[in-house]
Amino acid sequence: MNWLKPSWQAVLAILLCLIAVALGAMSKPEAAALADPAASFNYPYLGTKGLMFGLAMLAALISMIRIPPLAEAVVLFVGAHLVAWLLISGISGFEAAALAPYFLLLTAAWLLGWRCVAVLSGLHPMASSARSALRLIIPAIFGAWILILWEAVTRGAGIPFILLPPPSAIGARVASSLPVLGADVRQTIFKAVIFGYVVGSGAGFITAILADRVPFLRRGLLPIGNMVSALPIIGVAPIMVMWFGFDWQSKAAVVIIMTFFPMLVNTVAGLAASGHMERDLMRTYASGYWQTLLKLRLPAAAPFIFNALKINSTLALIGAIVAEFFGTPVVGMGFRISTEVGRMNIDMVWAEIAVAALAGSVFYGVVALVERAVTFWHPSVRGG
């Protein structure tokens, strides 16, 4: 039995497939056709039902044989995703008609996808390009299965569109609304978010240097920073709109307030991260305050500073979008979300959310890449 290496995901997937086969009909039209063979019914999976179960069970069985891990991952990937594609494409036009075997087969395919990710996570290739590819492929498969389950459940269970539209409908709305989404991105991100992020983070960094140099500022500003960080956006945004008007400047002001104090607090903490021995060594070389700051303390504070920049990358986007709820020109991501909710255009709301999530992820990823390039010497980066 050395040739066999069963996994609980594969075993459970086979068991679920057998239970689904024993239960029979996968949809209500199929159950009606089985109850009345003389009648003519059109039902989903008329020619693909056996293929789906066969693919799922075959992929599970092959994965339990001792084959190279990469080959096992490929088999699991193809089997799981092909079954999922056949399930989703077959239920199209028969929404809200799925029965228990549909969901059992969907769960079996998800278990095979889970096993695929587990196998890929256990790979340790020598080539750096292969390691980089794995770091992209594993989260991509994981994220794809979130969308697959979302699509399959909403269509199979017939969840009302107004409650939760399927990802395919959201993607279609994004594709058909690119000019509107582009204008909203320009107004919210390229004007309010970027300007507020740069000014707020830069002002927080400069103030942290001054607070480190002047103890009076450090003792006075940090308690105020903790208090201001607790202020709710919905309380600050209307005031900023009254002060700076309805255009992007008021949203940038909200972003500045939200990003200033995280940068201040993290930079002050980072400047205190260098040890006494390192500072004593700099003093023995007759280094002044600014030499010590530039050559020792700021490099030691770099992880803290980039941590604040990553935190601010998400806070800035959230602050700008929420601030647009309280007054803006007829453009902007927050304006579009609040307006389309009132019109019951939920797919457009989700399209804005998807674009905002993508923009926030890209923003965060750029900051993380810059961090890896700048702090390559740090143990957290060298270990990653």
Side-chain angles (χ1 to χ4, degrees), residues 36-290:
D36 187 6
S40 177
F41 288 94
N42 182 26
Y43 57 88
Y45 314 117
L46 187 57
T48 59
K49 182 177 178 179
L51 176 62
M52 291 189 298
F53 283 108
L55 281 171
M57 296 181 69
L58 181 62
L61 289 171
I62 293 176
S63 72
M64 292 194 293
I65 301 173
R66 289 195 178 277
I67 57 177
L70 184 58
E72 180 185 355
V74 171
V75 169
L76 289 167
F77 178 87
V78 173
H81 291 83
L82 190 55
V83 170
W85 179 76
L86 291 171
L87 269 175
I88 293 172
S89 60
I91 202 66
S92 180
F94 298 92
E95 285 77 6
L99 295 176
Y102 171 90
F103 296 101
L104 290 175
L105 183 56
L106 175 64
T107 305
W110 169 66
L111 287 169
L112 296 179
W114 183 349
R115 180 60 186 168
C116 175
V117 172
V119 172
L120 290 174
S121 300
L123 296 177
H124 301 286
M126 299 297 294
S128 59
S129 58
R131 292 196 300 269
S132 300
L134 275 180
R135 282 197 292 265
L136 295 175
I137 292 171
I138 292 173
I141 296 175
F142 192 93
W145 269 100
I146 294 177
L147 298 178
I148 290 170
L149 293 173
W150 181 355
E151 181 82 19
V153 171
T154 52
R155 290 192 178 277
I159 297 176
F161 188 87
I162 195 171
L163 294 181
L164 186 63
S168 58
I170 298 171
R173 189 58 187 260
V174 170
S176 63
S177 305
L178 288 178
V180 174
L181 293 171
D184 292 340
V185 167
R186 283 193 298 273
Q187 175 72 14
T188 302
I189 296 178
F190 290 104
K191 291 183 179 179
V193 171
I194 292 181
F195 181 84
Y197 178 85
V198 172
V199 174
S201 299
F205 176 78
I206 294 172
T207 306
I209 300 296
L210 295 175
D212 179 74
R213 184 65 170 164
V214 183
F216 167 76
L217 289 177
R218 183 169 62 252
R219 297 191 185 99
L221 274 178
L222 291 183
I224 297 175
N226 294 329
M227 180 189 71
V228 173
S229 297
L231 291 177
I233 308 175
I234 59 174
V236 175
I239 297 173
M240 295 299 104
V241 171
M242 292 174 61
W243 287 1
F244 298 102
F246 288 95
D247 209 346
W248 64 268
Q249 291 86 351
S250 58
K251 288 67 185 175
V254 173
V255 173
I256 290 171
I257 294 173
M258 293 188 65
T259 56
F260 176 83
F261 287 102
M263 176 59 74
L264 171 64
V265 173
N266 277 274
T267 304
V268 169
L271 291 174
S274 57
H276 292 289
M277 293 181 62
E278 291 86 353
R279 297 185 192 182
D280 290 341
L281 180 62
M282 294 297 291
R283 280 193 289 269
T284 61
Y285 291 146
S287 299
Y289 172 81
W290 294 108

